[in-house]
Amino acid sequence: MIVCVAVVGHQNNPLYIQSFTDADDALKLHHIVHCSLDVVDERVNNPKKSGPTLNETFLGLLYPTENYKVYGYLTNTKVKFILVTTDLDVRDADVRNFFRRFHAAYVDAVSNPFHVPGKKITSKTFAETVSTIVKSFGLSSAG
Amino acid sequence: MANFLAQFQTIKNSCDHLVIAVEDVSDLWPTIKNGFEERFPLKRAYLNNKTRNPVPVDNLPAVLILTTDARLRSRFPHEQYLFWFREPYATIVLITCEDLDEFKTILKPRLKLIVQNDEREWFIVFVSKAHPNNDQATKMAKKVYARLEVDFSSKKRERCCKFDLHRPEANFWEDLESKIVECIRNTLDKRVQFYEDEIRKLSEQRFMPESLAFMFEMAHLHEDALCEYDELELCYLETVNITGKQRDFGGVEHGDDQATLLNPGKKPLTQIVQDDSFREFEFRQYVFACQSRLLFKLNRPFEVASRGFSFIISFSKALTMHENILPFSMREIWVISACMDLIDATASNYNEGLAPLDIEKEFYRLQGDLYSLCRVKFLRLAYLIGYGTNMERSPVNSASLSMLPWPKPAVWPSVPPDASSKVLAKEKLILQETPAIKHFGIQRKPLPLEPSLLLREANRRRASLSAGNMLEISGSDAMSKMFPSHKAQTNSMTRTNSSPGLDSSIDRPMRLAEIYVAAEYALHSTISNPELWKSFSSVEEFEQKYLELTKGAADNYHRSWWKRHGVVLDGEIAAVYFKNGNFDLAAKSYEKVCALYAGEGWQDLLAEVLPNLAECQKILNDQAGYLSSCVRLLSLDKGLFLTKERQAFQSEVVRLAHSEMKQPVPLDVSSLITFSGNPGPPIELCDGDPGTLYVTVWSGFPDDITLDSLSLTLMATFQADEGVKALRSSTAIVLKPGRNTITLDLPPQKPGSYVLGVLTGQIGHLSFRSHSFSKGGPADSDDFMSYEKPTRPILKVFKSRPLVDLATAVSSALLINESQWVGIIVRPLNYSLKGAVLHIDTGPGLGIEESHVIEMESYADLTNGSTETVTNGALENGSSTVNKDFEQLTLHDGRIEFPDWASNMTSILWIPVRAISDKLARGSSSATPQRTNIVDGMRTVALKLEFGISHNQTFERHVYFLTLAVHFTDPFHVSTRVADKCHDGTLLLQVILHSEVKAALTIHDAWLDLQDGFVHADRGDGRPTSGFFPLVISPASKAGILFSIRLGKTDAEDASNVLESDSILNVRYGISGNRSVGAHPPVSTKHSATEDAKQDLVFQSALVLQRPVLDPCLAVGFLPLPSSGLRVGQLVTMKWRVERLKDFENEVPQHHDEVLYEVYANTDNWMIAGRKRGHVSLSAKQGSRIEISILCVPLVAGYVRPPQLGLPDVVEANISCNPPGPHLICVLPPALSSSFCIPLMMSASSSVFLRHSMRLAILALLSQTIEMQHGKYWRLICVKLVRLRFIRFLNQNVSGKQHL
């Protein structure tokens, strides 16, 4: 299950963060997303390590912890997408697919002329799209 | 096969060197043993690795063992392959022989027997005992050795070497070593090949790689050994997974909770063997231990850490799978010990600064990861035994703990029978637990530290064992037990007291305290490490360990790339410090965390930490810090705190601001109070004008806040350093939450455009400043990084420019000596004249008719096409004056105050004035028409207009000074001429009236009062025929009136009158003119009289009537100039001829034969050489004549007046000019001549040069003068002179002058 998705601006400022848990614990997900920026930074700053994936937007698994997984995605404009999932058995392809759709939704949202670049995304449509994408996550592979 | 393992282990432990067998055929070993063994370990050898690539190995150890030794003899062939690594890698055959026959018969067959075993790598060392002096023996030994070589060496391989006992050859040892290495290499290759084949064949016998690996390790081929171990691990995991056979996992023994992943010898291998295979728990740790040992040997602690971390993770997973058979919380405990071991081992093996930077960073990151993993597990265990209340419910802890599942033992541990007192103690602890109160009364639901309720989880695990009494522990009931109410608590107390024991705890669900106690007991039995157990023994110990782990993690993260992890953990450390009263350190750490969150705009997280920091600062009495924290709290997103909480922040700020602060603290409230100018174009002011500035101030405070003072700086956009002006509002301002508009007085500013700078002010003793512009909205919380915004000018002050234009309305002359309207056009130039005051001061000869009102009316200037013209709807076609607005004003002390309607439009002010002139107008003769001097009619009006925006007297108003010149004139200019001289002595005097004004003049009457010596002809009254009148004279036209007069004496009655020297012409006239055009009817004092047509004016003019000049004495004639014309710089002789026409009668009684002459010439145009004034002799005889000539040089080209000759002694009337001199003559520009090329382009400094130039010019003139007199010769010289340089020139000039 995806517990959290986030859009982080190029200055590492949160632009959109949405948790999908029942409990009132969004803050811990904020923390996870925030700390995962360390890994994103590290990957971006050390291109040696990332090697062949240098030009790829999908950053892959950022956090191999026991209990949850954090995936990252970096757009050309250095906007980061972070996905936190408690699903420990996730297929890479699913995540890639998720990010691709998420990216498209993001591009739609920021193309809104009333959106100020670098500001938080307040679009309801974006939120709805995201929640649809999150709900459909993993279904394609299952079905 | 696994049975061999025990043996394998022991053999492995005993083998640490390669073995080289020595076959001592001729009993030589004891004598040469020392010499041979000294060679070991071999300094350098090249061995092949698994891929048959040569690898250099330094200091390869090996041991020489006789084949007869027990160690080699006792082995059985069937073990051979398995433990091949311990078999000799080379065999050295030692022989000696001194006789060829003996060699052939005895030794050779024996050697053949020895070396026939192909498996072995061998070579023969022939030891020559022959003494060097003994030639015979030496020769013999050589023969035998030669024979030996023939028999045993082949072309492919040398298998013999000769060792001279007494005199070893220099290269023997090298030879020997190379042979040994060769043998070892070959053996190794062979055996590796064998093992590989074997592995392929016996894929199930997984120990084979280890033999190989160990063999590599022995051969110091660590890399290869590592590869083999890696392979072994893979193979093992494959087997474990593939077979699917339920194997014993292991890990149930006492002490297994402590990880052995760095100590391969912790458990003998025999213990981990079971059922023909290995127990996973031990074996995987064992393999990892072997790997890490090799990695440490390879000096790669980083790899140990990295492999170790993933090993721990994967092994922890394995432990999870087998959790139900393992002791309670075995997994957590194992991870803790594994992490700690790994951290210690890698840290001690790690040499800082050796590895590349990224590896080093990564290493510390791993250390941090290990620490934090360890920390999480430690926290989990601590929670299980009831230390949860001591844990910070921070996002970090929540993130790591709330997603970490509870331990899943087969059965949740139950309360031991004798633990009732402990349970009681725990109950008490739970009771004492108070939910953590946040500062400022912030109420938040605490973040979870548990994946699900421990109470429910534990009881579920128990319940699954016994009958399902889930009903009791579900829902709210469980909650009430988690935080027991008082009643429920007493209830449970009695129950615990009444029926302690195992059965009851199984039957009924456990209470929280019981769960804690049970977990504690279970853990105690699981944990074998007393150190670790000590950490759980008390809250203090727990905290200490917690701090140690957290610090470890934070420190290591700080040294890695993962700064955020480090800083966040600093926050956790700060929480502990805070709890322990170490506020100083806590504040420092909290500050770091806050800076991190604030820097990147993670407001939600910041809102969690910032109150803690504020509390620290409050306790530390750090007022500045506390205030700024409060302000930051207020400026966070409004949604993050309740209004009540935000009000609490504000009240803190206000309380502190009004309290006695030791030092006034400056406070930056940029995030809270923002300001902007009003939307729309900037205020535009003229230079020197004050104004009012409206500023929108946005307050982010939740309540009204009173600012005791406020000031705002204006910054000029053109210069940053200058022009910062503060606008103050000294009165207190109450800011409402949200938008406020405040007004500030704006003193006059320098020209330029201004932007808003900084807002400063006071709240109580607190001075604050804000430099954040807003777009009229609240402070942008997202814009945490951009303080610089495009600033819009708020104020524009224009450079000094004309603001108003005053001009006379009429350019033509007005009537003198009559009251006339002077129109002054007041044209404001895009500037309001509201409240303007005009001071009028008339010059001499001009007075204001104060009895009359001043009129003011709007004025439309058609020619300018100004805006007023367009907007003025009442514009009449063809009329320049629009009487839309008309007002009569009165003059007070020479001041007129402008009406409001005139403030923005061009208006005209009509002022009644009267120019006084007591001079009588004089007529002139038409022969020499002399106009009256225009200056005589000029009068001035000094105007001073005070105007400007400022109505009070604080600032100086604009003042506009202007002196207007107004031209007044008589209506006519009179000239006379004698039209005809009749024979009867009557003169027809024509009086010509030139109209001087732009108005139609109507002459009603005219008469002449004659001077003495003239009388009217026909004894008339001097009036022309009345039928002439009225005579209308249009502007700028003339009219003539004839009077007939004659010379003669006046009558007797007239004689009584004073004799008039002048004749007076009287003209009674009327004027009809428009005051906007020029002269007009005089302003009548009475309104009724303005329409009176009979209001006639009288004009008087004096006329000079001269008796006619009838007898000229002298005639002056100007003689013609040379026909070649005049040229600048060229001398010309002006000549006049003076001729005596007749004798003087009596004018010049003396000097009859001399005439005084004077030449008048404009010195700008002419240079006169010669006497300008003097006497010339002219005989008194009639008809005598002389010529007066004078040398002149024209100085300028063009038409100039020539010099004129005057005869001052002779009355003008006696001089007749015949022929008359020309008025103007033409002077041509100078001919191109070097003499006049004045080098003006020379540098300015050479003023000397310029002076010389002047001299040069003069000299040129001179030269021409000379030329005139002396001819061409001199001219040539002078031209040359001109061309010379100046010094020489001057010298020569002197000589020339002398010559001259």
Side-chain angles (χ1 to χ4, degrees):
Chain A
M1 184 184 84
I2 292 177
V3 290
C4 182
V5 288
V7 180
V8 181
H10 77 286
Q11 286 170 314
N12 289 333
N13 48 324
L15 298 180
Y16 177 83
I17 183 157
Q18 181 63 52
S19 52
F20 298 94
T21 51
D22 301 329
D24 190 9
D25 55 358
L27 216 49
K28 78 178 182 197
L29 298 167
H30 278 247
H31 162 78
I32 292 170
V33 172
H34 180 239
C35 277
S36 67
L37 295 177
D38 268 339
V39 193
V40 176
D41 279 357
E42 191 185 6
R43 299 243 176 125
V44 173
N45 294 337
N46 298 321
K48 242 192 292 178
K49 280 168 77 179
S50 41
T53 61
L54 180 64
N55 289 325
E56 214 187 339
T57 47
F58 180 57
L59 295 174
L61 183 62
L62 303 180
Y63 258 140
T65 66
E66 283 181 283
N67 316 309
Y68 56 87
K69 287 186 166 184
V70 183
Y71 287 90
Y73 186 92
L74 182 71
T75 71
N76 293 336
T77 51
K78 304 272 177 280
V79 172
K80 295 125 197 157
F81 302 149
I82 309 283
L83 163 71
V84 185
T85 172
T86 48
D87 215 340
L88 294 183
D89 191 21
V90 182
R91 291 200 334 184
D92 229 30
D94 283 345
V95 184
R96 272 173 199 275
N97 190 33
F98 168 84
F99 275 131
R100 201 176 42 72
R101 296 175 65 190
F102 190 80
H103 195 172
Y106 169 77
V107 168
D108 285 350
V110 294
S111 301
N112 182 347
F114 295 102
H115 171 78
V116 185
K119 290 286 158 63
K120 286 190 172 162
I121 302 170
T122 48
S123 156
K124 277 179 190 161
T125 319
F126 179 69
E128 279 164 20
T129 320
V130 167
S131 98
T132 316
I133 299 172
V134 166
K135 270 177 201 151
S136 67
F137 176 67
L139 288 184
S140 59
S141 65
Chain B
M1 284 298 249
N3 292 332
F4 287 116
L5 274 175
Q7 202 178 348
F8 178 70
Q9 182 81 9
T10 42
I11 290 167
K12 244 181 86 174
N13 289 343
S14 61
C15 287
D16 50 354
H17 290 97
L18 297 176
V19 175
I20 297 166
V22 179
E23 186 77 45
D24 192 7
V25 178
S26 311
D27 290 334
L28 289 162
W29 183 242
T31 44
I32 61 168
K33 183 183 177 186
N34 290 341
F36 271 57
E37 283 183 346
E38 273 173 15
R39 311 305 304 175
F40 293 95
L42 297 173
K43 283 200 186 65
R44 189 167 189 91
Y46 278 91
L47 299 180
N48 290 335
N49 64 7
K50 203 174 165 187
T51 50
R52 306 290 183 268
N53 291 322
V55 176
V57 178
D58 290 334
N59 292 329
L60 179 66
V63 65
L64 297 168
I65 301 175
L66 281 176
T67 44
T68 49
D69 193 284
R71 282 175 288 179
L72 293 186
R73 276 175 66 189
S74 63
R75 293 176 187 166
F76 301 104
H78 70 269
E79 301 172 345
Q80 197 182 17
Y81 296 138
L82 182 53
F83 307 117
W84 221 357
F85 50 83
R86 64 170 184 174
E87 291 300 312
Y89 284 74
T91 306
I92 304 171
V93 184
L94 287 175
I95 58 161
T96 186
C97 187
E98 283 160 3
D99 183 34
L100 202 58
D101 288 340
E102 188 192 336
F103 172 74
K104 277 183 184 168
T105 52
I106 304 165
L107 206 55
K108 191 179 161 185
R110 200 172 157 194
L111 284 175
K112 288 275 182 196
L113 200 69
I114 291 170
V115 302
Q116 72 181 354
N117 186 356
D118 273 346
E119 305 275 302
R120 281 196 262 181
E121 280 291 322
W122 55 271
F123 65 95
I124 298 164
V125 176
F126 178 80
V127 181
S128 166
K129 285 180 183 170
H131 199 270
N133 297 338
N134 189 344
D135 285 350
Q136 186 65 31
T138 313
K139 212 178 271 176
M140 205 61 213
K142 272 184 184 167
K143 266 188 187 169
V144 174
Y145 181 65
R147 185 74 216 170
L148 186 72
E149 280 190 308
V150 169
D151 284 344
F152 291 96
S153 290
S154 65
K155 272 181 194 168
K156 281 185 198 162
R157 195 162 166 195
E158 286 270 329
R159 286 197 187 264
C160 304
C161 59
K162 188 170 151 219
F163 178 58
D164 214 330
L165 205 56
H166 297 286
R167 199 180 56 191
E169 283 170 47
N171 60 354
F172 168 75
W173 296 114
E174 282 175 29
D175 199 15
L176 179 76
E177 276 180 22
S178 75
K179 283 203 163 55
I180 292 173
V181 169
E182 191 183 8
C183 288
I184 292 174
R185 186 165 59 228
N186 290 341
T187 313
L188 199 62
D189 289 353
K190 229 184 266 174
R191 290 181 188 172
V192 167
Q193 184 65 43
F194 169 77
Y195 276 129
E196 281 179 351
D197 294 345
E198 207 62 9
I199 289 163
R200 250 173 261 132
K201 273 188 271 177
L202 309 165
S203 58
E204 285 194 8
Q205 296 180 1
R206 295 300 165 196
F207 43 85
M208 280 305 180
E210 201 195 350
S211 302
L212 186 56
F214 188 66
M215 193 162 72
F216 278 129
E217 193 180 340
M218 271 171 64
H220 279 219
L221 290 170
H222 298 303
E223 291 277 4
D224 297 276
L226 188 64
C227 291
E228 290 310 313
Y229 275 116
D230 290 350
E231 198 156 304
L232 176 65
E233 188 181 358
L234 274 178
C235 291
Y236 179 76
L237 288 177
E238 239 171 63
T239 345
V240 168
N241 293 337
I242 287 169
T243 51
K245 198 163 79 182
Q246 190 61 46
R247 291 163 193 264
D248 189 2
F249 180 72
V252 288
E253 289 162 35
H254 181 73
D256 276 353
D257 61 302
Q258 295 186 51
T260 58
L261 75 176
L262 291 173
N263 188 358
K266 182 91 179 272
K267 274 191 185 180
L269 270 179
T270 39
Q271 286 187 20
I272 63 176
V273 179
Q274 198 171 37
D275 278 351
D276 205 13
S277 183
F278 305 103
R279 289 203 303 251
E280 190 181 348
F281 181 79
E282 283 91 351
F283 187 70
R284 284 183 65 183
Q285 291 195 56
Y286 166 76
V287 171
F288 182 79
C290 292
Q291 288 169 345
S292 54
R293 184 181 58 195
L294 282 171
L295 286 169
F296 280 136
K297 277 187 186 164
L298 287 166
N299 199 17
R300 273 145 62 174
F302 160 71
E303 222 166 298
V304 178
S306 112
R307 282 162 173 247
F309 185 69
S310 42
F311 176 76
I312 290 171
I313 296 286
S314 72
F315 200 73
S316 168
K317 268 182 205 156
L319 287 174
T320 319
M321 283 164 65
H322 298 96
E323 207 172 356
N324 51 358
I325 56 159
L326 293 172
F328 180 67
S329 292
M330 170 77 179
R331 176 168 67 120
E332 281 79 10
I333 298 164
W334 183 86
V335 170
I336 291 171
S337 70
C339 286
M340 291 313 293
D341 284 356
L342 209 53
I343 288 163
D344 292 343
T346 49
S348 61
N349 275 287
Y350 187 76
N351 295 320
E352 206 170 321
L354 286 183
L357 181 72
D358 51 338
I359 294 286
E360 182 159 315
K361 295 265 184 195
E362 185 70 7
F363 175 75
Y364 286 119
R365 198 266 297 164
L366 280 165
Q367 295 271 306
D369 273 351
L370 286 169
Y371 265 116
S372 71
L373 181 64
C374 182
R375 176 176 171 277
V376 170
K377 300 292 178 193
F378 180 73
L379 281 178
R380 169 48 41 88
L381 292 184
Y383 189 91
L384 281 178
I385 59 175
Y387 292 143
T389 52
N390 299 84
M391 287 176 205
E392 190 76 3
R393 287 179 177 265
S394 62
V396 201
N397 289 345
S398 175
S400 42
L401 286 174
S402 73
M403 293 206 246
L404 182 70
W406 292 115
K408 294 186 182 69
V411 179
W412 197 271
S414 52
V415 186
D418 53 346
S420 53
S421 62
K422 281 213 159 186
V423 171
L424 260 179
K426 289 274 180 198
E427 293 269 5
K428 212 180 254 177
L429 273 180
I430 294 171
L431 264 182
Q432 284 166 359
E433 173 198 341
T434 45
I437 299 163
K438 289 213 161 200
H439 319 296
F440 298 105
I442 296 170
Q443 285 175 343
R444 290 280 178 282
K445 202 178 157 195
L447 287 171
L449 289 181
E450 49 285 288
S452 55
L453 282 181
L454 176 62
L455 189 76
R456 191 186 300 180
E457 177 71 15
N459 280 313
R460 197 174 63 80
R461 294 234 161 243
R462 289 207 60 72
S464 62
L465 183 79
S466 66
N469 45 3
M470 293 288 283
L471 211 67
E472 206 176 328
I473 49 167
S474 60
S476 59
D477 192 27
M479 274 303 286
S480 71
K481 282 189 169 100
M482 178 91 174
F483 299 102
S485 66
H486 205 70
K487 193 181 163 193
Q489 191 268 330
T490 42
N491 193 9
S492 60
M493 283 276 279
T494 48
R495 254 212 267 179
T496 318
N497 286 340
S498 62
S499 57
L502 202 82
D503 52 345
S504 67
S505 64
I506 288 176
D507 287 339
R508 57 167 187 81
M510 286 161 77
R511 279 168 298 116
L512 201 58
E514 289 170 335
I515 292 169
Y516 288 159
V517 173
E520 195 173 344
Y521 270 91
L523 280 182
H524 188 47
S525 63
T526 315
I527 295 173
S528 62
N529 185 353
E531 283 289 314
L532 184 60
W533 178 246
K534 198 177 149 217
S535 303
F536 291 116
S537 61
S538 69
V539 175
E540 288 74 29
E541 292 286 345
F542 157 72
E543 241 166 37
Q544 197 187 332
K545 182 80 179 170
Y546 170 73
L547 212 54
E548 178 200 320
L549 293 175
T550 313
K551 268 185 188 165
D555 289 348
N556 281 300
Y557 278 136
H558 278 306
R559 296 161 89 172
S560 75
W561 296 113
W562 290 16
K563 305 289 178 208
R564 291 184 188 85
H565 283 78
V567 175
V568 169
L569 286 172
D570 279 343
E572 299 306 301
I573 299 169
V576 178
Y577 283 145
F578 185 83
K579 204 188 290 176
N580 296 339
N582 199 344
F583 300 112
D584 212 12
L585 287 175
K588 268 181 199 160
S589 296
Y590 274 137
E591 258 165 26
K592 271 198 269 177
V593 184
C594 289
L596 173 75
Y597 288 146
E600 295 183 339
W602 293 77
Q603 298 215 347
D604 296 61
L605 292 169
L606 183 59
E608 185 75 11
V609 191
L610 199 48
N612 300 344
L613 174 63
E615 190 63 20
C616 281
Q617 287 163 333
K618 186 181 181 184
I619 294 166
L620 289 171
N621 205 20
D622 172 13
Q623 284 174 329
Y626 184 53
L627 275 171
S628 91
S629 292
C630 287
V631 168
R632 282 164 81 186
L633 279 169
L634 279 169
S635 47
L636 287 181
D637 260 355
K638 288 188 179 53
L640 290 173
F641 293 106
L642 304 175
T643 314
K644 206 173 69 184
E645 291 156 4
R646 288 168 52 78
Q647 282 166 346
F649 303 147
Q650 183 185 342
S651 66
E652 280 297 287
V653 172
V654 174
R655 181 181 66 78
L656 266 184
H658 290 280
S659 71
E660 285 296 316
M661 277 194 288
K662 279 174 199 149
Q663 290 143 349
V665 188
L667 187 64
D668 190 340
V669 292
S670 302
S671 49
L672 210 50
I673 296 180
T674 63
F675 55 94
S676 64
N678 272 352
I683 299 178
E684 293 180 346
L685 285 184
C686 292
D687 185 26
D689 273 353
T692 309
L693 192 65
Y694 294 90
V695 182
T696 306
V697 176
W698 196 278
S699 163
F701 285 100
D703 279 341
D704 286 3
I705 184 149
T706 307
L707 310 181
D708 295 317
S709 71
L710 187 114
S711 73
L712 188 64
T713 57
L714 282 181
M715 286 197 304
T717 48
F718 51 94
Q719 283 168 307
D721 50 343
E722 204 196 331
V724 176
K725 296 269 176 61
L727 309 178
R728 265 176 210 295
S729 155
S730 47
T731 52
I733 291 172
V734 178
L735 288 186
K736 299 192 302 283
R739 177 197 281 273
N740 297 272
T741 301
I742 57 169
T743 53
L744 292 168
D745 287 335
L746 194 64
Q749 304 289 328
K750 281 187 185 168
S753 64
Y754 292 85
V755 293
L756 292 177
V758 182
L759 182 84
T760 52
Q762 290 271 333
I763 306 173
H765 302 290
L766 186 73
S767 58
F768 66 87
R769 58 189 279 121
S770 166
H771 41 74
S772 139
F773 309 101
S774 65
K775 300 185 183 89
D780 235 334
S781 48
D782 284 355
D783 275 346
F784 48 94
M785 264 162 287
S786 60
Y787 279 111
E788 282 184 34
K789 293 190 185 172
T791 49
R792 200 167 53 84
I794 182 85
L795 168 71
K796 274 187 181 162
V797 178
F798 294 110
K799 286 202 178 113
S800 304
R801 64 169 178 96
L803 302 173
V804 67
D805 186 33
L806 296 183
T808 44
V810 178
S811 58
S812 64
L814 301 176
L815 287 180
I816 203 160
N817 281 330
E818 301 289 347
S819 63
Q820 294 273 286
W821 292 108
V822 169
I824 296 169
I825 300 171
V826 181
R827 182 183 291 122
L829 303 173
N830 290 328
Y831 192 84
S832 170
L833 293 180
K834 199 170 157 63
V837 173
L838 183 68
H839 298 255
I840 304 170
D841 188 14
T842 51
L846 189 70
I848 296 176
E849 300 273 70
E850 299 212 13
S851 56
H852 203 276
V853 290
I854 291 167
E855 292 177 2
M856 191 170 192
E857 61 191 16
S858 60
Y859 176 77
D861 193 351
L862 279 174
T863 52
N864 280 3
S866 60
T867 47
E868 286 90 348
T869 318
V870 179
T871 49
N872 202 332
L875 181 68
E876 283 174 40
N877 221 6
S879 161
S880 59
T881 307
V882 180
N883 292 324
K884 191 202 173 195
D885 290 296
F886 180 83
E887 194 166 339
Q888 291 191 327
L889 306 168
T890 44
L891 196 68
H892 299 289
D893 306 331
R895 303 173 61 208
I896 308 168
E897 282 173 20
F898 275 34
D900 281 354
W901 57 265
S903 49
N904 281 315
M905 61 194 301
T906 310
S907 53
I908 187 161
L909 201 64
W910 294 109
I911 303 164
V913 293
R914 182 192 292 273
I916 314 288
S917 171
D918 47 4
K919 274 203 268 179
L920 199 62
R922 292 189 76 83
S924 61
S925 157
S926 62
T928 53
Q930 271 190 333
R931 286 288 162 126
T932 47
N933 195 347
I934 205 163
V935 177
D936 292 341
M938 279 296 173
R939 298 290 183 274
T940 55
V941 183
L943 299 172
K944 190 171 95 171
L945 183 66
E946 277 184 25
F947 62 102
I949 288 171
S950 135
H951 298 292
N952 53 18
Q953 294 302 309
T954 320
F955 305 106
E956 269 192 30
R957 307 183 69 184
H958 296 283
V959 180
Y960 184 88
F961 289 104
L962 179 73
T963 304
L964 291 178
V966 187
H967 186 203
F968 291 90
T969 182
D970 291 316
F972 306 104
H973 172 71
V974 179
S975 60
T976 53
R977 120 184 141 93
V978 177
D980 196 13
K981 284 186 266 185
C982 301
H983 294 290
D984 58 351
T986 311
L987 298 169
L988 283 182
L989 182 68
Q990 185 179 25
V991 176
I992 303 161
L993 298 173
H994 303 258
S995 170
E996 294 276 281
V997 293
K998 276 192 179 171
L1001 296 165
T1002 311
I1003 299 172
H1004 299 292
D1005 195 6
W1007 65 97
L1008 197 61
D1009 296 331
L1010 287 171
Q1011 68 196 78
D1012 193 24
F1014 292 90
V1015 288
H1016 290 285
D1018 305 330
R1019 305 196 64 83
D1021 59 352
R1023 280 189 167 83
T1025 320
S1026 59
F1028 279 149
F1029 304 113
L1031 175 67
V1032 177
I1033 306 174
S1034 306
S1037 60
K1038 303 180 206 176
I1041 303 172
L1042 277 177
F1043 292 95
S1044 64
I1045 54 171
R1046 61 182 174 83
L1047 297 171
K1049 298 285 175 199
T1050 46
D1051 295 341
E1053 60 262 31
D1054 294 332
S1056 59
N1057 296 342
V1058 181
L1059 283 179
E1060 300 279 349
S1061 59
D1062 290 334
S1063 305
I1064 304 290
L1065 174 72
N1066 300 290
V1067 176
R1068 192 163 60 81
Y1069 69 100
I1071 185 166
S1072 64
N1074 192 334
R1075 65 179 177 185
S1076 61
V1077 175
H1080 51 272
V1083 182
S1084 65
T1085 46
K1086 289 172 200 157
H1087 270 270
S1088 58
T1090 46
E1091 299 300 315
D1092 190 0
K1094 284 282 169 196
Q1095 192 205 9
D1096 286 344
L1097 308 170
V1098 174
F1099 166 68
Q1100 289 191 317
S1101 176
L1103 300 174
V1104 181
L1105 297 180
Q1106 286 180 331
R1107 293 162 68 95
V1109 179
L1110 299 171
D1111 40 6
C1113 299
L1114 292 170
V1116 177
F1118 184 82
L1119 293 184
L1121 290 164
S1123 59
S1124 58
L1126 301 183
R1127 225 170 243 289
V1128 172
Q1130 213 168 22
L1131 273 172
V1132 67
T1133 316
M1134 295 277 178
K1135 289 180 185 164
W1136 291 270
R1137 189 188 60 207
V1138 180
E1139 188 175 350
R1140 194 181 291 278
L1141 297 179
K1142 65 170 192 177
D1143 285 337
F1144 288 112
E1145 286 172 351
N1146 49 5
E1147 279 89 354
V1148 188
Q1150 305 133 9
H1151 309 301
H1152 276 280
D1153 51 349
E1154 282 193 337
V1155 174
L1156 179 69
Y1157 77 92
E1158 188 167 5
V1159 176
Y1160 307 103
N1162 187 344
T1163 50
D1164 289 343
N1165 299 341
W1166 297 94
M1167 197 162 104
I1168 309 285
R1171 293 186 61 177
K1172 280 191 200 173
R1173 184 186 168 99
H1175 289 89
V1176 286
S1177 64
L1178 178 71
S1179 74
K1181 218 169 67 182
Q1182 186 176 6
S1184 63
R1185 57 175 66 178
I1186 54 157
E1187 265 188 21
I1188 296 170
S1189 67
I1190 197 154
L1191 272 174
C1192 301
V1193 182
L1195 296 178
V1196 292
Y1199 287 89
V1200 293
R1201 272 181 84 85
Q1204 289 192 326
L1205 185 77
L1207 303 172
D1209 279 354
V1210 184
V1211 180
E1212 222 171 306
N1214 292 332
I1215 301 169
S1216 118
C1217 290
N1218 190 22
H1223 291 293
L1224 296 171
I1225 54 172
C1226 176
V1227 179
L1228 298 175
L1232 287 176
S1233 161
S1234 56
S1235 345
F1236 288 94
C1237 290
I1238 294 168
L1240 287 175
M1241 296 300 286
M1242 295 304 288
S1243 74
S1245 63
S1246 57
S1247 60
V1248 176
F1249 189 84
L1250 269 179
R1251 213 160 61 230
H1252 291 166
S1253 302
M1254 297 294 285
R1255 284 182 195 168
L1256 174 66
I1258 294 162
L1259 201 80
L1261 292 175
L1262 261 175
S1263 75
Q1264 283 186 347
T1265 318
I1266 291 161
E1267 181 197 352
M1268 302 285 279
Q1269 296 176 357
H1270 297 277
K1272 218 172 188 180
Y1273 174 67
W1274 274 106
R1275 184 171 167 261
L1276 277 172
I1277 287 178
C1278 289
V1279 168
K1280 272 186 181 173
L1281 288 180
V1282 169
R1283 287 176 184 159
L1284 286 176
R1285 292 176 63 176
F1286 278 107
I1287 306 293
R1288 282 180 63 198
F1289 174 86
L1290 286 172
N1291 291 339
Q1292 291 192 2
N1293 180 21
V1294 170
S1295 68
K1297 265 184 182 168
Q1298 285 167 350
H1299 189 83
L1300 229 165

